[in-house]
Each structure stands twice: as structure tokens, then as C-alpha cells.
Amino acid sequence: MSNKYCLCIILFLGAVTIAGYAAAASPIGNKTAYLPLNEGVRNLSFLSSSEIEILEAVNKARKAGRLQPLKTSMGLSFAAKERAEELARSKKPDLTKEEERNRLFERVRKFGTWKGSVAEVDSHGYPAGVAVAELTKNSSATEQQPQPYFMDANYMVMGAGCTSAGDPAPICVIILASEFSEAQ
């Protein structure tokens, strides 16, 4: 085998390696986000930088708790964004817990299907990076309040949605699922 042929193979393998690395990392502005993607999700272009910051903070908290990172879902993020916008409206319907749960299920079903459990966590008035820290801190500060859903090992997929509307703004929502299949 000639040196020229070996050099071509090495360059080709290097390009394949770099392309694989680029697919696992999604550039956002001047920063690169490293989040595992749910099956069917190709990149993070559907998320704002604040939403990415929240998802990274969740996985950082899970890592500190020795839990697997959650995969990022486009469908759950769209459902979370829809919920955040709903929470920001000044006129909200007065619903029972069961009605709220059913609305969560309907919202998630619009964007895919889930198996196991589905849950949501919302934050009002905290900047993106601080929201997850506050949710985690609030649950560990009092023994009566359970850990946030995103610290439950049964959840494997997540999405985030934020809006700058509402009072207090911003309002951010994280939706979690045990398993989630993106809508086609």
C-alpha cells in the first residue's frame, strides 16, 4: 500500500470521526451543548439557549445524584413550551388536579406517545440556569417536599419550554417521560 493511499484513508477516517463528533454536539451561538438526543431528534435547533441551559442543568444535577442523563425530546419540548405559554396567560381556567393531569396527557399526546410515566415541573421568575438549582434546593431544604421529578431514575426523556411572558417572568416548564416516541 502506498503512502499516498494510507494518507487518504487516515484523512477519511479523521473526517468521519469529526462528523460523528459534530452530530453529538449542537452549536448554539458561541457555545456548544452536549445533550443526549431522544430517538428521532437530530439536533437542538428547536430549543432556545435558555431551554438548553435548563436541560444541561437537569443533567448536571442528575450526574451529581449518580443518575443517567435524560435524553432531549423535541415533542416534550413543544409540549413544555405550550404549557409555559398557558401558565403565562392572565386568565387561567380553575381546574382540578385530575383535569390538570388529563390536560398534560393530551398536550404530550399531540407531539408523540409515551410509555410509563409522564410528569411536569414548572418554574416562575427564575432565570434558566437558576431554575433547576432552585427546584433542587427547595426539595432538599425541607424534608416534607419530595425531590423534583427530574431526579427520579424512572424518567429517561425530557423537554423544556420557556416564555418571557407571565408574572413573574420567565416561566419555564420541564416535561419528563419514562419513554417517549417522537411524532412523525
Side-chain angles (χ1 to χ4, degrees), residues 35-36 55-71 132 136 139 146-158 176:
L35 289 166
L55 298 177
E56 288 178 323
V58 166
N59 276 344
K60 186 177 179 183
R62 284 180 64 90
K63 184 177 181 180
R66 299 178 186 226
L67 296 170
Q68 270 188 307
L70 295 169
K71 295 179 277 183
V132 173
T136 306
S139 69
Q147 285 277 15
Y149 289 118
F150 57 78
M151 293 303 290
D152 185 331
N154 292 320
Y155 293 107
M156 303 304 291
V157 187
M158 69 177 162
L176 307 129

Side-chain angles (χ1 to χ4, degrees), residues 114-138:
W114 83 92
K115 289 182 184 174
S117 301
V118 65
E120 73 179 20
V121 179
D122 57 85
S123 167
H124 301 254
Y126 292 106
V130 178
V132 173
E134 284 298 315
L135 289 166
T136 306
K137 182 176 81 175
N138 288 344

Side-chain angles (χ1 to χ4, degrees), residues 10-62:
I10 291 171
L11 289 174
F12 175 74
L13 291 175
V16 168
T17 302
I18 290 170
Y21 171 75
S26 296
I28 305 297
N30 62 355
K31 147 182 185 183
T32 302
Y34 297 96
L35 289 166
L37 304 177
N38 195 31
E39 189 174 325
V41 178
R42 290 187 173 80
N43 59 50
L44 301 174
S45 62
F46 55 93
L47 295 169
S48 70
S49 58
S50 294
E51 292 161 346
I52 288 172
E53 193 175 337
I54 286 174
L55 298 177
E56 288 178 323
V58 166
N59 276 344
K60 186 177 179 183
R62 284 180 64 90

